[in-house]
Amino acid sequence: MTIKRELSDSERVVITGLGVMTSLGLTVDTFWANIIAGKSGIVPITSFDVSAYDSRIAAEIRDFNPAEYMERKEARHMDRFSQFAVAASRQAAEDAKLVITPDMADRVGVLIGSGIGGILTIEDQYRVLWEKGPSRISPFFIPMLISDMGSGQVSIQLGAKGPNTSVVTACATGTHAIGDAYHIIRRGDADVMIAGGAEAPISQMGLGGFCAARAVSTRNDDPEHASRPFDATRDGFVMGEGSGIVILERLDFAKSRNARIYAEVVGYGMSGDAYHITQPAPEGEGAVRSMRNALARANLSTEEVDYINAHGTSTIPNDKLETAAIKRLFGDRAYKIAVSSTKSMTGHLLGAAGAVETIISVLAIQNGIAPPTMNYSEPDPDCDLDYIPNTARKMPIRTAMSNSFGFGGHNATLVFMKLE
């Protein structure tokens, strides 16, 4: 049973704008249509020679033109992850019909994270150092590589002068960014926050590092079916790149400007595993605490969650332990909740994953459609929930939960509801 929430409109936070840059589309409409159709954005890598790598596939964006979103000179001084952040933020602001005027600029903040930051810039400038010496390193090297620069560049480009910060929690980054932005509004430090994650990790070092860790799929001959969350034949995640950005607003502020409202953010939970640098805690106990904390913040019971967008990486330990965590928290009702991993289509966008999956979750609420887990063909006895296999499902969704878990034991959960 719901515990009655006695919140005023000035204490409630809603999502009014969405922006995406992904291999499945550079607009929200295209992206959502491809998600519901079960299409894959995973392809052979073409941005560099991958012949020597164990994994040679990724959810690579091939048709992105930064000049469509910013001046060419400005784009040259940004790493690819910051370009994605600016592009998705412009799209989200336009979707929200948010015009940042001088009299409101200091009440509009930015919180965009990146798990990896400017690794492409690091690689490029290391080659300069090696071939030409330190005097030829670009003066933009440091400003381009640092992970907070997605937030910094969006603030500059859009004129947002409110709280401007960032977060780095590996694959939980995007979820933490949106959750922290939610709290900034709740505590009265901003009326609007531009929040999410951006990532451009598909590089020689990035791919090589994950290959060395044996974390990525080597199903190179069948890219579309390589990401197989919860399936018994899964063999690792598939890297992705892009950005997901949402516009968060105080409900009364959104109403005052007649903004379209996608959903309300009602809960945000965090926890730490304190266990291992890459492996989840036994029985997913850290994930349990994160989900429980989010429900407590939302004043919701376990009976009221309709859909879970799982972290669902397609790795052996994550999928098994996330399933265990859901069953531990929800008990027998876990088997009645629709659960899916959209990483089966988008790949794993690392620090941007949770933000992209936030967008999927609120669109699922708005459209009454739960997206599928693609490539689910061979059940794993350890993964025995309703994963919406291979076909999207029309169903009423009042409450959706989204999970993200990152290396270092970072756990984050968001809960969204249809506005009532």
Side-chain angles (χ1 to χ4, degrees):
M1 177 178 291
T2 304
I3 302 170
K4 189 175 181 182
R5 294 185 297 137
E6 299 292 347
L7 296 177
S8 68
D9 286 359
S10 65
E11 297 174 293
R12 299 169 69 183
V13 178
V14 294
I15 295 174
T16 60
L18 310 175
V20 295
M21 294 288 128
T22 74
S23 62
L24 280 175
L26 303 182
T27 68
V28 170
D29 287 346
T30 300
F31 171 71
W32 177 246
N34 285 331
I35 286 288
I36 294 309
K39 293 186 178 181
S40 174
I42 298 168
V43 294
I45 294 171
T46 59
S47 54
F48 59 95
D49 181 8
V50 293
S51 58
Y53 291 79
D54 292 334
S55 180
R56 300 187 289 277
I57 55 177
E60 190 176 54
I61 298 175
R62 294 179 172 175
D63 52 354
F64 173 68
N65 179 6
E68 295 179 7
Y69 306 95
M70 65 205 82
E71 296 294 329
R72 293 183 185 276
K73 181 179 179 180
E74 294 169 341
R76 286 197 298 271
H77 297 157
M78 294 184 206
D79 187 88
R80 186 169 167 90
F81 88 95
S82 291
Q83 294 174 355
F84 287 151
V86 170
S89 295
R90 286 196 182 280
Q91 187 183 123
E94 182 177 347
D95 183 47
K97 294 182 171 55
L98 177 68
V99 178
I100 303 174
T101 58
D103 63 327
M104 64 180 282
D106 63 350
R107 297 293 298 171
V108 181
V110 185
L111 206 170
I112 298 171
S114 179
I116 301 292
I119 192 169
L120 288 165
T121 295
I122 293 171
E123 289 184 6
D124 177 66
Q125 291 301 301
Y126 180 75
R127 282 190 289 269
V128 171
L129 171 66
W130 184 257
E131 295 170 4
K132 300 179 181 180
S135 65
R136 300 296 297 275
I137 292 173
S138 170
F140 294 98
F141 172 49
I142 299 301
M144 288 173 69
L145 76 88
I146 49 181
S147 295
D148 70 301
M149 199 50 69
S151 271
Q153 288 285 8
V154 168
S155 171
I156 293 166
Q157 296 289 318
L158 272 65
K161 296 183 177 181
N164 186 345
T165 183
S166 187
V167 59
V168 179
T169 50
C171 302
T173 296
T175 300
H176 276 135
I178 293 169
D180 290 352
Y182 156 78
H183 277 311
I184 287 173
I185 295 174
R186 285 288 308 275
R187 69 178 181 242
D189 289 340
D191 299 325
V192 180
M193 290 294 294
I194 304 164
E199 204 77 271
I202 303 172
S203 70
Q204 296 177 68
M205 291 294 290
L207 180 63
F210 282 119
C211 284
R214 298 182 179 179
V216 284
S217 173
T218 57
R219 199 181 293 259
N220 298 306
D221 296 332
D222 190 13
E224 291 186 8
H225 302 99
S227 181
R228 310 176 68 82
F230 306 110
D231 188 87
T233 64
R234 65 192 185 275
D235 72 330
F237 76 84
V238 179
M239 293 179 71
E241 64 177 349
S243 179
I245 302 293
V246 299
I247 305 298
L248 302 174
E249 301 188 38
R250 247 184 31 229
L251 177 56
D252 60 341
F253 186 84
K255 285 181 174 180
S256 73
R257 62 183 201 87
N258 295 314
R260 174 180 56 185
I261 294 170
Y262 285 98
E264 182 177 2
V265 184
V266 295
Y268 171 43
M270 297 184 286
S271 71
D273 283 350
Y275 175 68
H276 191 271
I277 57 172
T278 60
Q279 299 299 311
E283 301 304 315
E285 67 88 19
V288 172
R289 287 185 285 111
S290 181
M291 290 186 286
R292 181 182 293 129
N293 291 342
L295 287 177
R297 167 66 69 173
N299 289 327
L300 293 173
S301 75
T302 55
E303 297 295 315
E304 295 174 278
V305 176
D306 303 306
Y307 167 69
I308 299 175
N309 189 290
H311 189 53
T313 58
S314 186
T315 61
I316 296 295
N318 175 90
D319 297 1
K320 172 184 175 179
L321 293 176
E322 186 172 10
T323 298
I326 292 170
K327 291 194 289 188
R328 239 176 111 177
L329 178 62
F330 290 91
D332 290 341
R333 190 167 183 280
Y335 295 95
K336 300 177 182 178
I337 301 173
V339 180
S340 68
S341 172
T342 45
K343 290 183 177 72
S344 56
M345 296 170 278
T346 65
H348 191 349
L349 276 69
L350 308 180
V356 170
E357 288 154 16
T358 285
I359 291 169
I360 292 170
S361 297
V362 301
L363 288 173
I365 290 172
Q366 186 185 62
N367 293 287
I369 303 175
T373 300
M374 297 304 294
N375 307 322
Y376 186 84
S377 60
E378 188 171 330
D380 181 341
D382 291 322
C383 300
D384 58 350
L385 299 177
D386 175 7
Y387 301 116
I388 319 177
N390 303 311
T391 304
R393 181 182 302 162
K394 290 186 177 181
M395 57 177 282
I397 302 174
R398 177 173 174 263
T399 304
M401 172 182 282
S402 183
N403 285 329
S404 295
F405 313 127
F407 282 2
H410 306 289
N411 306 306
T413 300
L414 287 164
V415 180
F416 314 98
M417 287 185 70
K418 186 183 292 288
L419 185 68
E420 297 176 347

